[in-house]
Amino acid sequence: MNMLNAVPQIFIAGENNGVMESLLDAYRKQYRLRRRLHFEPGFGVGAWYHPTINKKNEMCDIQQFTKDLIGLSQVNPTKRKIIGFKEIRFTVQQLNDMSEHVFPCAKFIVNIRSDTVAQHKSLFQSRKSIQQLSERNNQFLDWAEKHQKQSFVLPLEDFDVTHFNSILRWVGIEGCNYTKVVHANDHGYNFPPKNTTILNNESSCQFL
C-alpha cells in the first residue's frame, strides 16, 4: 500500500473494518431480489411490492459509496487515476463477486505469503493451521490463474524493486520507477519513515 501510494496518480486506502463484506452481502440480497422480481410471476406485489430495479444505478451507487468510504474526495480525486483499497478479510467467493459484478473493470493485487510456516508464526495467522494457510493460498492462486487479466500475484517473498516496477507497468504507469522498497511492520507493528524517497522521476509518472 505504501509503495503504490508513493505514485502521484494512485490512491490506495487501508482496511475498511469489514464494511466491504457487509456491502457485498447487501449486493447479494439485492441480486436475489432482482432475480425473483424478474423470474417469479406474481412476485413483487402486496408486501413485496417493487417496481423494476435499475441494475446500472445500483452498481453506480455501490461504487460511489465505496469512493466515499475510502475518503477519495479528500485526496485530490481529479489527480488520482487509479483508486482502490486494501482488503484482508475476503474469501475467494467474495473476491469473485467483487470482480465479476461490483467492480468488473477492477484489477486485483493478490498478496500471499508462500512461506506458510513463517506465516503461521505471525500474530494474526497463528490461529490457523499451516494446512489451512496453504489451502487458502491455493484458492487465491487458483482464482488468479482464472482471472489473469485482472490479477497480479505478489507473494511477500517477491517484495522487491523488479516486481513493484512490474506492477507499475501492469496498472498503466509509465515514466518513473521504484528505486527501493519501503519496509512497514519491521519486527513489529510500525510504519516506514516519513518522506522516504522510493521513486525516481516522480514528476514524470504518467497514467497511460
Side-chain angles (χ1 to χ4, degrees), residues 8-11 71-81 83:
Q9 291 84 1
I10 300 178
F11 169 63
L72 178 63
S73 64
Q74 305 300 311
V75 291
N76 192 358
T78 57
K79 184 178 72 171
R80 310 291 180 167
K81 306 302 181 183
I83 63 173

Side-chain angles (χ1 to χ4, degrees), residues 139-188:
Q139 289 171 358
F140 280 102
L141 291 173
D142 183 61
W143 180 89
E145 178 67 24
K146 295 175 181 176
H147 299 80
Q148 293 186 23
K149 292 183 178 180
Q150 283 183 279
S151 63
F152 188 107
V153 177
L154 182 67
L156 176 65
E157 292 79 4
D158 287 344
F159 274 31
D160 56 40
V161 167
T162 299
H163 284 89
F164 276 105
N165 281 328
S166 294
I167 288 178
L168 289 186
R169 305 291 96 83
W170 178 64
V171 298
I173 297 294
E174 300 285 349
C176 57
N177 289 288
Y178 291 111
T179 58
K180 65 174 65 175
V181 177
V182 295
H183 191 174
N185 302 331
D186 187 8
H187 294 89

